[in-house]
Each structure stands twice: as structure tokens, then as C-alpha cells.
Amino acid sequence: SQSLQALEQDGFVNRISYPVVPPHVEYSLTPLGVEVSEKVVALADWIEVNTPRVLANRDERAA
């Protein structure tokens, strides 16, 4: 909940609270949130592809 509040304060997510019982809250990405999510996905993809290279470098330097 604190993470979602921080993301809302930073402008990455929108929060809509519905006055119903039980309480219902919906979150969605703002345009800024969509932009940063694309960068995070690209970084995750890069890490997945390049992990063998990184580990090989680590092994070379440890030897």
C-alpha cells in the first residue's frame, strides 16, 4: 500500500476509490507510468539476454 501511494504521489499511477461496501479501489498507469514501464521492460529484457555475458565476465575476473 505504501508503494502504491508513493507511485501515485510521483505521478506513475492513478487511483480511483469507489464509495461501496466493501471498499473498492482501482489503479491504472498514467502516461508517465506507461513510459517508465516500457523502460523497465526493456531493461529486464536486456538483463535476461545478457546475463550469460555478465556472469562470464565475473568468472574471468575471479580467475
Side-chain angles (χ1 to χ4, degrees), residues 45-62:
D45 290 345
W46 184 94
I47 291 169
E48 184 176 349
V49 168
N50 289 284
T51 294
R53 290 173 52 200
V54 171
L55 295 176
N57 283 329
R58 181 183 295 174
D59 291 344
E60 284 177 17
R61 295 185 195 317

Side-chain angles (χ1 to χ4, degrees), residues 14-40:
N14 286 319
R15 179 181 187 273
I16 300 174
S17 179
Y18 296 95
V20 295
V21 176
H24 179 74
V25 178
E26 290 182 0
Y27 291 91
S28 61
L29 292 175
T30 64
L32 186 62
V34 170
E35 185 179 338
V36 76
S37 73
E38 291 168 353
K39 305 297 184 191
V40 170

